[in-house]
Amino acid sequence: MQDLDIDSTTKAVLEQMALTTDPRLREIMEAAVRHVHDFAREVKLTPEEWLKGIGFLTAVGQMCTPYRQEFILLSDVLGLSRLVNLMHDSQGRDEAATETSLLGPFFREKAPEIALGGSIISAMKGEEIVIFGQVTDPAGHGVAGAEIDVWQTDAEGQYDLQANDPSVMDMRGRLRCDAEGRFHFRTEKPVGYSIPMDGPVGALVRQQSRHGFRPAHIHVLVAAPGHRELITALYFGDDPHIDSDTVFGVSASLVITQSAGLEGNPLPNLPGIRYDFTLSPASDGAGGRVGSDPSKLMPTG
Ligand code: BEZ
Ligand code: FE
């Protein structure tokens, strides 16, 4: 018969899980149990606090819809998403390749296709800019036909998913690079915005006296066969929250600023930003789109 105490409970749980057939699941769950038990011992978690924590996680789950992923948001504000990205980058990202950044909760599959030079904004409210550049491999060869997905807020800091009718797609688009991997598209300069603060994660962020803002940015996903999918974002250096992103997404190499009279700007009457994306080779040789749609996490039936 087991007669468990504060320390032997952990051992008993690990013993019961020892026959887990999937070795990776076993490794992950063993570490999770050890750490969560150590955490409870360290903070001397009381039953009331335990229940409060369960209530919090329940509320996070209840906030999720096909249009809103509160668990990803929780991972983001705790820095877990950034940490996972950094570890992913440290394994298999070519040194020369573009750094990654957070996918965030607002990515959508099958955004409207736009021609090179087209606009991703249906009703321009802010400063129109052009973003152009080339997608290359680490040796600098253009990646012909690379697919680029971009998505951002409007000039008021709202994603299409936050608008009255979230089924309408706007401020996002898909474009295909030319034979040399070159691309350009028009958009409006986004503004920084608050992460959704009307749910349990927002309440936590407020209790922690954090501002809840992300600096203005444009999300970019680049995919091409034979290359590792790149999920990143470009951040505007003049944003007041560039050094205090609530979800820790900014890297120095991803900071941009628009300027007039930029050499090579294919639409020289607009302020331009040149950014070249460098893809790593795919470790399995296949590469291309891996699939990153957060709404797929929702039950369908
Ligand atoms: C975003 O950039 O879209 C985002 C990322 C993390 C949390 C909320 C929003
Ligand atoms: Fe964003």
Side-chain angles (χ1 to χ4, degrees), residues 73 76 102-106 159 193 195-196 214 217 219 247:
L73 191 59
D76 294 340
L102 304 183
L103 175 71
F106 297 110
Y159 282 93
Y193 61 87
I195 60 163
R214 296 217 68 202
H217 58 275
H219 294 272
V247 297

PDB file of all heavy atoms in Angstrom, residues 73 76 102-106 159 193 195-196 214 217 219 247, ligand 1:
ATOM      1  N   LEU A  73      -2.263  33.099 -26.420  1.00  0.00           N
ATOM      2  CA  LEU A  73      -2.015  34.407 -25.803  1.00  0.00           C
ATOM      3  C   LEU A  73      -1.336  34.234 -24.439  1.00  0.00           C
ATOM      4  O   LEU A  73      -0.397  34.962 -24.096  1.00  0.00           O
ATOM      5  CB  LEU A  73      -3.349  35.147 -25.653  1.00  0.00           C
ATOM      6  CG  LEU A  73      -3.281  36.608 -25.268  1.00  0.00           C
ATOM      7  CD1 LEU A  73      -2.495  37.419 -26.281  1.00  0.00           C
ATOM      8  CD2 LEU A  73      -4.691  37.198 -25.124  1.00  0.00           C
ATOM      9  N   ASP A  76       2.155  33.376 -24.952  1.00  0.00           N
ATOM     10  CA  ASP A  76       2.890  34.556 -25.425  1.00  0.00           C
ATOM     11  C   ASP A  76       3.275  35.488 -24.271  1.00  0.00           C
ATOM     12  O   ASP A  76       4.415  35.932 -24.180  1.00  0.00           O
ATOM     13  CB  ASP A  76       2.034  35.342 -26.427  1.00  0.00           C
ATOM     14  CG  ASP A  76       1.779  34.580 -27.716  1.00  0.00           C
ATOM     15  OD1 ASP A  76       2.526  33.637 -28.015  1.00  0.00           O
ATOM     16  OD2 ASP A  76       0.809  34.932 -28.426  1.00  0.00           O
ATOM     17  N   LEU A 102       6.925  35.611 -33.393  1.00  0.00           N
ATOM     18  CA  LEU A 102       5.704  34.906 -33.002  1.00  0.00           C
ATOM     19  C   LEU A 102       4.676  34.850 -34.124  1.00  0.00           C
ATOM     20  O   LEU A 102       4.465  35.833 -34.831  1.00  0.00           O
ATOM     21  CB  LEU A 102       5.044  35.632 -31.829  1.00  0.00           C
ATOM     22  CG  LEU A 102       5.901  35.848 -30.593  1.00  0.00           C
ATOM     23  CD1 LEU A 102       5.080  36.518 -29.513  1.00  0.00           C
ATOM     24  CD2 LEU A 102       6.456  34.530 -30.117  1.00  0.00           C
ATOM     25  N   LEU A 103       4.014  33.722 -34.230  1.00  0.00           N
ATOM     26  CA  LEU A 103       2.879  33.598 -35.155  1.00  0.00           C
ATOM     27  C   LEU A 103       1.716  34.460 -34.660  1.00  0.00           C
ATOM     28  O   LEU A 103       1.032  35.109 -35.445  1.00  0.00           O
ATOM     29  CB  LEU A 103       2.440  32.130 -35.235  1.00  0.00           C
ATOM     30  CG  LEU A 103       1.195  31.839 -36.053  1.00  0.00           C
ATOM     31  CD1 LEU A 103       1.472  32.031 -37.541  1.00  0.00           C
ATOM     32  CD2 LEU A 103       0.686  30.430 -35.795  1.00  0.00           C
ATOM     33  N   GLY A 104       1.510  34.467 -33.359  1.00  0.00           N
ATOM     34  CA  GLY A 104       0.380  35.224 -32.800  1.00  0.00           C
ATOM     35  C   GLY A 104      -0.936  34.534 -33.117  1.00  0.00           C
ATOM     36  O   GLY A 104      -0.977  33.547 -33.858  1.00  0.00           O
ATOM     37  N   PRO A 105      -2.027  35.059 -32.570  1.00  0.00           N
ATOM     38  CA  PRO A 105      -3.317  34.375 -32.734  1.00  0.00           C
ATOM     39  C   PRO A 105      -4.100  34.796 -33.979  1.00  0.00           C
ATOM     40  O   PRO A 105      -5.206  34.317 -34.181  1.00  0.00           O
ATOM     41  CB  PRO A 105      -4.080  34.777 -31.473  1.00  0.00           C
ATOM     42  CG  PRO A 105      -3.497  36.091 -31.090  1.00  0.00           C
ATOM     43  CD  PRO A 105      -2.090  36.144 -31.597  1.00  0.00           C
ATOM     44  N   PHE A 106      -3.571  35.686 -34.817  1.00  0.00           N
ATOM     45  CA  PHE A 106      -4.405  36.257 -35.878  1.00  0.00           C
ATOM     46  C   PHE A 106      -4.087  35.754 -37.277  1.00  0.00           C
ATOM     47  O   PHE A 106      -4.611  36.279 -38.257  1.00  0.00           O
ATOM     48  CB  PHE A 106      -4.328  37.790 -35.832  1.00  0.00           C
ATOM     49  CG  PHE A 106      -4.864  38.359 -34.550  1.00  0.00           C
ATOM     50  CD1 PHE A 106      -4.027  38.948 -33.621  1.00  0.00           C
ATOM     51  CD2 PHE A 106      -6.215  38.290 -34.258  1.00  0.00           C
ATOM     52  CE1 PHE A 106      -4.521  39.463 -32.427  1.00  0.00           C
ATOM     53  CE2 PHE A 106      -6.720  38.799 -33.072  1.00  0.00           C
ATOM     54  CZ  PHE A 106      -5.875  39.387 -32.150  1.00  0.00           C
ATOM     55  N   TYR A 159      -7.073  43.967 -36.024  1.00  0.00           N
ATOM     56  CA  TYR A 159      -7.037  42.925 -37.059  1.00  0.00           C
ATOM     57  C   TYR A 159      -8.445  42.730 -37.602  1.00  0.00           C
ATOM     58  O   TYR A 159      -9.437  43.015 -36.909  1.00  0.00           O
ATOM     59  CB  TYR A 159      -6.548  41.604 -36.461  1.00  0.00           C
ATOM     60  CG  TYR A 159      -5.057  41.547 -36.270  1.00  0.00           C
ATOM     61  CD1 TYR A 159      -4.481  41.917 -35.062  1.00  0.00           C
ATOM     62  CD2 TYR A 159      -4.222  41.144 -37.297  1.00  0.00           C
ATOM     63  CE1 TYR A 159      -3.113  41.876 -34.884  1.00  0.00           C
ATOM     64  CE2 TYR A 159      -2.851  41.100 -37.127  1.00  0.00           C
ATOM     65  CZ  TYR A 159      -2.303  41.461 -35.923  1.00  0.00           C
ATOM     66  OH  TYR A 159      -0.950  41.429 -35.759  1.00  0.00           O
ATOM     67  N   TYR A 193      -0.562  48.013 -30.924  1.00  0.00           N
ATOM     68  CA  TYR A 193      -1.895  47.727 -30.381  1.00  0.00           C
ATOM     69  C   TYR A 193      -1.776  46.925 -29.106  1.00  0.00           C
ATOM     70  O   TYR A 193      -0.765  46.291 -28.830  1.00  0.00           O
ATOM     71  CB  TYR A 193      -2.751  46.974 -31.409  1.00  0.00           C
ATOM     72  CG  TYR A 193      -2.161  45.642 -31.815  1.00  0.00           C
ATOM     73  CD1 TYR A 193      -2.415  44.485 -31.083  1.00  0.00           C
ATOM     74  CD2 TYR A 193      -1.330  45.545 -32.915  1.00  0.00           C
ATOM     75  CE1 TYR A 193      -1.869  43.272 -31.437  1.00  0.00           C
ATOM     76  CE2 TYR A 193      -0.768  44.335 -33.285  1.00  0.00           C
ATOM     77  CZ  TYR A 193      -1.035  43.205 -32.542  1.00  0.00           C
ATOM     78  OH  TYR A 193      -0.487  42.010 -32.886  1.00  0.00           O
ATOM     79  N   ILE A 195      -2.725  43.788 -26.842  1.00  0.00           N
ATOM     80  CA  ILE A 195      -3.208  42.418 -26.983  1.00  0.00           C
ATOM     81  C   ILE A 195      -4.652  42.390 -26.453  1.00  0.00           C
ATOM     82  O   ILE A 195      -5.050  43.298 -25.702  1.00  0.00           O
ATOM     83  CB  ILE A 195      -2.324  41.410 -26.214  1.00  0.00           C
ATOM     84  CG1 ILE A 195      -2.314  41.740 -24.719  1.00  0.00           C
ATOM     85  CG2 ILE A 195      -0.920  41.354 -26.787  1.00  0.00           C
ATOM     86  CD1 ILE A 195      -1.823  40.606 -23.859  1.00  0.00           C
ATOM     87  N   PRO A 196      -5.455  41.391 -26.803  1.00  0.00           N
ATOM     88  CA  PRO A 196      -6.836  41.373 -26.290  1.00  0.00           C
ATOM     89  C   PRO A 196      -6.817  41.334 -24.756  1.00  0.00           C
ATOM     90  O   PRO A 196      -6.264  40.419 -24.145  1.00  0.00           O
ATOM     91  CB  PRO A 196      -7.405  40.082 -26.875  1.00  0.00           C
ATOM     92  CG  PRO A 196      -6.557  39.784 -28.074  1.00  0.00           C
ATOM     93  CD  PRO A 196      -5.182  40.276 -27.732  1.00  0.00           C
ATOM     94  N   ARG A 214       1.811  45.710 -27.964  1.00  0.00           N
ATOM     95  CA  ARG A 214       2.810  45.233 -28.909  1.00  0.00           C
ATOM     96  C   ARG A 214       3.214  46.409 -29.783  1.00  0.00           C
ATOM     97  O   ARG A 214       2.365  47.200 -30.200  1.00  0.00           O
ATOM     98  CB  ARG A 214       2.224  44.165 -29.849  1.00  0.00           C
ATOM     99  CG  ARG A 214       1.783  42.909 -29.163  1.00  0.00           C
ATOM    100  CD  ARG A 214       2.096  41.725 -30.058  1.00  0.00           C
ATOM    101  NE  ARG A 214       3.538  41.560 -30.144  1.00  0.00           N
ATOM    102  CZ  ARG A 214       4.181  40.926 -31.112  1.00  0.00           C
ATOM    103  NH1 ARG A 214       3.501  40.412 -32.114  1.00  0.00           N
ATOM    104  NH2 ARG A 214       5.494  40.817 -31.117  1.00  0.00           N
ATOM    105  N   HIS A 217       3.746  46.250 -36.095  1.00  0.00           N
ATOM    106  CA  HIS A 217       4.485  45.214 -36.814  1.00  0.00           C
ATOM    107  C   HIS A 217       3.645  44.650 -37.956  1.00  0.00           C
ATOM    108  O   HIS A 217       2.420  44.809 -37.986  1.00  0.00           O
ATOM    109  CB  HIS A 217       4.894  44.080 -35.872  1.00  0.00           C
ATOM    110  CG  HIS A 217       3.730  43.433 -35.190  1.00  0.00           C
ATOM    111  ND1 HIS A 217       3.180  43.937 -34.038  1.00  0.00           N
ATOM    112  CD2 HIS A 217       2.978  42.355 -35.521  1.00  0.00           C
ATOM    113  CE1 HIS A 217       2.152  43.187 -33.679  1.00  0.00           C
ATOM    114  NE2 HIS A 217       2.003  42.221 -34.565  1.00  0.00           N
ATOM    115  N   HIS A 219       3.199  40.865 -39.777  1.00  0.00           N
ATOM    116  CA  HIS A 219       3.550  39.439 -39.724  1.00  0.00           C
ATOM    117  C   HIS A 219       3.860  38.935 -41.132  1.00  0.00           C
ATOM    118  O   HIS A 219       3.190  39.326 -42.097  1.00  0.00           O
ATOM    119  CB  HIS A 219       2.379  38.621 -39.197  1.00  0.00           C
ATOM    120  CG  HIS A 219       2.033  38.902 -37.777  1.00  0.00           C
ATOM    121  ND1 HIS A 219       2.619  38.244 -36.728  1.00  0.00           N
ATOM    122  CD2 HIS A 219       1.165  39.766 -37.225  1.00  0.00           C
ATOM    123  CE1 HIS A 219       2.106  38.677 -35.593  1.00  0.00           C
ATOM    124  NE2 HIS A 219       1.221  39.611 -35.868  1.00  0.00           N
ATOM    125  N   VAL A 247       4.705  40.565 -25.504  1.00  0.00           N
ATOM    126  CA  VAL A 247       4.829  39.136 -25.809  1.00  0.00           C
ATOM    127  C   VAL A 247       6.231  38.773 -26.309  1.00  0.00           C
ATOM    128  O   VAL A 247       6.444  37.685 -26.842  1.00  0.00           O
ATOM    129  CB  VAL A 247       3.726  38.677 -26.797  1.00  0.00           C
ATOM    130  CG1 VAL A 247       2.360  38.846 -26.162  1.00  0.00           C
ATOM    131  CG2 VAL A 247       3.795  39.422 -28.105  1.00  0.00           C
TER     132      VAL A 247
HETATM  133  C1  BEZ B   1       0.145  39.369 -32.681  1.00  0.00           C
HETATM  134  O1  BEZ B   1       1.184  39.853 -33.015  1.00  0.00           O
HETATM  135  O2  BEZ B   1      -0.729  39.335 -33.513  1.00  0.00           O
HETATM  136  C2  BEZ B   1      -0.025  38.890 -31.306  1.00  0.00           C
HETATM  137  C3  BEZ B   1       0.934  38.091 -30.759  1.00  0.00           C
HETATM  138  C4  BEZ B   1       0.767  37.638 -29.488  1.00  0.00           C
HETATM  139  C5  BEZ B   1      -0.345  37.982 -28.777  1.00  0.00           C
HETATM  140  C6  BEZ B   1      -1.300  38.805 -29.312  1.00  0.00           C
HETATM  141  C7  BEZ B   1      -1.137  39.279 -30.593  1.00  0.00           C
END
